[in-house]
Amino acid sequence: MNMLDLLAHPQGLFTCISNLPEVAPHLMAQWRAELALQPTLAPRIAAVEAALHARIGPGHKPAAAPRSPVLTTRFASPRGELAFFSMFTTFGTPQDIHLASLRVEHLFAANEATRLTLEQQVPRP
């Protein structure tokens, strides 16, 4: 399963992102940079861009400069709003050609409420 496909689907992850107008331009810039490295992503990125246009309109620009050096994505959930920032891991000198295109995104709780909500969902030994 591809994350771009999950985002582009009509009932996909974009429906849960409560601050989509804020994060969408940053996400699209990141994906366009990836496109330069991996042209085979073009159809998926086009589908994601179309899904964004359907949700927030074409050509959306951030309203103001980011207030923080970290972009926080906020998700509406049955347990309330969950806020995350993410980091990507890439393989800079892969020994296998397949690893060159692999990106692993790590999500971290961006506030105490999110951290506590997540901890409540994990059973303690």
Side-chain angles (χ1 to χ4, degrees):
M1 187 172 294
N2 186 293
M3 183 60 103
L4 293 173
D5 296 336
L6 289 174
L7 290 166
H9 191 276
Q11 286 87 39
L13 291 177
F14 281 153
T15 63
C16 301
I17 299 176
S18 56
N19 65 335
L20 188 59
E22 177 187 348
V23 300
H26 302 286
L27 294 174
M28 282 309 304
Q30 180 179 347
W31 292 324
R32 286 186 185 120
E34 283 290 324
L35 185 58
L37 299 171
Q38 297 184 57
T40 58
L41 291 177
R44 285 188 161 124
I45 291 175
V48 169
E49 191 164 19
L52 278 174
H53 290 175
R55 295 207 46 88
I56 63 174
H60 184 79
K61 302 283 187 239
R67 294 173 289 213
S68 167
V70 177
L71 180 64
T72 300
T73 304
R74 302 180 185 289
F75 294 88
S77 85
R79 305 236 189 282
E81 183 178 81
L82 302 175
F84 297 94
F85 70 92
S86 64
M87 295 175 59
F88 286 91
T89 299
T90 60
F91 295 88
T93 54
Q95 299 294 321
D96 182 313
I97 190 68
H98 294 96
L99 291 178
S101 64
L102 183 63
R103 305 285 185 271
V104 179
E105 183 173 11
H106 307 272
L107 293 173
F108 298 92
N111 58 34
E112 188 68 8
T114 299
R115 186 186 67 76
L116 290 172
T117 299
L118 295 175
E119 282 185 356
Q120 291 170 358
Q121 303 309 305
V122 178
R124 299 268 174 173

